Amino acid sequence: MKYLVTGGAGFIGSNFISYILNNYPDAELVCLDSLTYAGNVSNFAGFDKCRFTFEYADICDRERVFELTERYMPDFIVNFAAESHVDRSILYPTAFVSTNVLGTANLLDAAKQFKISRFHQVSTDEVYGDVDAPHFSVESDTLCPSSPYSASKASADMLVLSYFRTFGLPVTVSRCSNNYGPGQFPEKLIPLIIYNIMNDKPIGIYGNGLQCRDWLYVEDHCRAVDMIIQHGREGEIYNIGSMHTVTNLEMVDMLVSAVGRTALVDHITDRPGHDKRYALSCDKIKGELGWTPCVDIEKGLAKTVKWYMDNRDWCEDIMNGKYIEKNKEYIK
Ligand code: NAD
Ligand code: TYD
């Protein structure tokens, strides 16, 4: 099987490539990535280079997307490429519309033109917006995104599903909760907290820190996406999450004990439009595909903290910008 994986130099995309390489000895993967600030070629370390190819390309470049799809003729296109950080979407919303919506449209058109067997869109629980307890979002809920990030992801979901209805393109969509694990860019909550604890820096928590998130270990997400691509029904949406929510302050406590050091919490100005709670029902993927998470939060955080401790250079390269030089060297 051949996969075209967009955004494979980022956090979840690189974990997905690793998961497929490790679990399918015959799989071949092509990673299409434009190496934005979030892309990091160090994430390719350990990949079997006989079955992995990197293509430096932007999904907004329609001609290049068509050229690469025609050249590789993949069985599956798995779209991870995105601008993914809510805080940045508040500063630069149009970049989110370009990549997350127009880029996805280019990929869909290429998938249609070259009759790709499955187009999988990697989406997020944030498309449901703020969810009051005790509700857990189900796939048929109305979308109510709050940030430019989640609005652009919701738009992409609708576009993907419209290609199923209008053109019969074989698509699936997954909506996952917050991921954590090895290789996450330290702009997101968990790696940022770990980095700050390790370096005796204060932890900046937005507002009162009582916002709830459902955290899933990245490998559980990758396994779910694989199961959906292999066995999910075309035209369907599948939620993926741990069904266990914690507040941001509870997460700080868990990480303080996982790292084994103390930390100072600074309550800083809240994020505009900050969603208070995300919570997913995962009955559909459990019932139809038999997926359940394997890594509980304590074990997952312990593995993640260990990875960041063992890979201080990876983090420092990001913090001092050296990884950008390494990216440039790689594509020369
Ligand atoms: P990330 O920011 O770590 O990585 C994104 C990758 O996409 C980077 O390698 C970047 O270079 C690449 N990219 C960005 N714009 C591109 C473009 N125009 N053309 C080609 N490549 C481009 O993101 P992530 O956290 O790994 O998230 C991956 C996907 O999963 C996203 O679609 C995101 O919306 C979704 N998701 C993320 C989470 C999470 O908790 N991180 C949860 C649910 C869903
Ligand atoms: P984040 O990792 O950015 O994911 P998302 O906003 O997509 O859920 O943030 C997770 C939660 O942590 C969210 O409620 C915002 C909060 N947060 C902070 O309190 N401080 C921070 O520095 C960051 C990055 C996030």
Side-chain angles (χ1 to χ4, degrees):
M1 286 296 174
K2 200 184 276 178
Y3 297 72
L4 180 65
V5 177
T6 70
F11 164 48
I12 309 174
S14 60
N15 275 282
F16 180 76
I17 292 170
S18 173
Y19 179 87
I20 297 294
L21 286 173
N22 291 338
N23 285 281
Y24 297 92
D26 297 331
E28 289 171 34
L29 293 106
V30 179
C31 166
L32 186 168
D33 200 298
S34 64
L35 299 181
T36 66
Y37 80 95
N40 189 341
V41 297
S42 307
N43 294 342
F44 303 155
F47 288 177
D48 175 355
K49 296 294 180 310
C50 301
R51 295 189 290 133
F52 171 77
T53 309
F54 176 69
E55 290 287 354
Y56 176 57
D58 189 329
I59 60 170
C60 297
D61 182 344
R62 190 175 171 85
E63 260 182 48
R64 185 105 166 97
V65 164
F66 274 62
E67 176 211 320
L68 292 174
T69 309
E70 185 172 29
R71 187 188 316 160
Y72 290 105
M73 286 303 282
D75 299 289
F76 310 125
I77 295 180
V78 191
N79 184 25
F80 289 93
E83 289 290 343
S84 70
H85 190 39
V86 173
D87 293 331
R88 289 176 67 93
S89 82
I90 295 165
L91 298 171
Y92 319 108
T94 55
F96 286 69
V97 177
S98 298
T99 287
N100 300 0
V101 186
L102 299 177
T104 301
N106 289 333
L107 293 167
L108 285 165
D109 280 338
K112 173 159 108 29
Q113 166 103 4
F114 299 107
K115 302 186 170 41
I116 301 306
S117 307
R118 176 63 64 90
F119 181 94
H120 182 75
Q121 174 70 3
V122 179
S123 186
T124 162
D125 61 356
E126 303 196 24
V127 298
Y128 298 116
D130 232 342
V131 186
D132 286 332
H135 184 65
F136 285 79
S137 304
V138 293
E139 289 82 351
S140 55
D141 280 356
T142 305
L143 304 189
C144 195
S146 309
S147 69
Y149 164 65
S150 51
S152 65
K153 293 295 289 186
S155 310
D157 284 14
M158 290 183 184
L159 201 57
V160 171
L161 295 167
S162 80
Y163 272 62
F164 174 72
R165 169 85 186 242
T166 304
F167 305 113
L169 188 73
V171 305
T172 36
V173 175
S174 53
R175 295 184 179 146
C176 192
S177 61
N178 285 60
N179 282 217
Y180 68 97
Q184 187 167 29
F185 198 87
E187 64 182 348
K188 306 278 169 62
L189 185 70
I190 288 184
L192 186 61
I193 295 180
I194 295 172
Y195 181 83
N196 285 353
I197 299 176
M198 288 189 334
N199 292 284
D200 294 321
K201 294 186 171 174
I203 299 168
I205 289 293
Y206 300 152
N208 61 14
L210 297 178
Q211 304 81 8
C212 288
R213 297 291 185 267
D214 168 327
W215 293 99
L216 187 71
Y217 191 66
V218 64
E219 195 178 330
D220 277 328
H221 182 189
C222 296
R223 189 166 43 82
V225 169
D226 173 36
M227 288 172 92
I228 295 168
I229 293 169
Q230 303 290 343
H231 309 293
R233 285 182 296 135
E234 292 174 9
E236 293 293 321
I237 303 162
Y238 294 89
N239 286 346
I240 309 169
S242 69
M243 291 196 67
H244 175 73
T245 62
V246 296
T247 67
N248 293 338
L249 285 179
E250 286 168 336
M251 180 51 76
V252 171
D253 287 344
M254 285 194 268
L255 285 168
V256 163
S257 62
V259 177
R261 292 171 75 151
T262 54
L264 185 72
V265 172
D266 236 357
H267 286 271
I268 56 177
T269 309
D270 208 349
R271 172 187 280 172
H274 198 167
D275 283 330
K276 288 180 205 62
R277 178 175 175 268
Y278 301 135
L280 288 177
S281 159
C282 299
D283 291 350
K284 181 170 172 180
I285 190 167
K286 287 181 181 175
E288 279 190 24
L289 305 181
W291 174 89
T292 49
C294 289
V295 182
D296 68 32
I297 188 86
E298 285 78 17
K299 203 159 43 152
L301 290 179
K303 278 156 82 105
T304 306
V305 166
K306 182 171 181 337
W307 190 89
Y308 279 90
M309 284 184 162
D310 293 347
N311 291 275
R312 282 170 189 263
D313 292 353
W314 181 93
C315 234
E316 285 308 328
D317 274 1
I318 288 180
M319 292 307 191
N320 61 31
K322 248 196 201 160
Y323 78 110
I324 294 173
E325 291 309 312
K326 291 187 177 170
N327 281 352
K328 282 187 187 150
E329 273 298 305
Y330 191 86
I331 55 178
K332 251 188 201 164

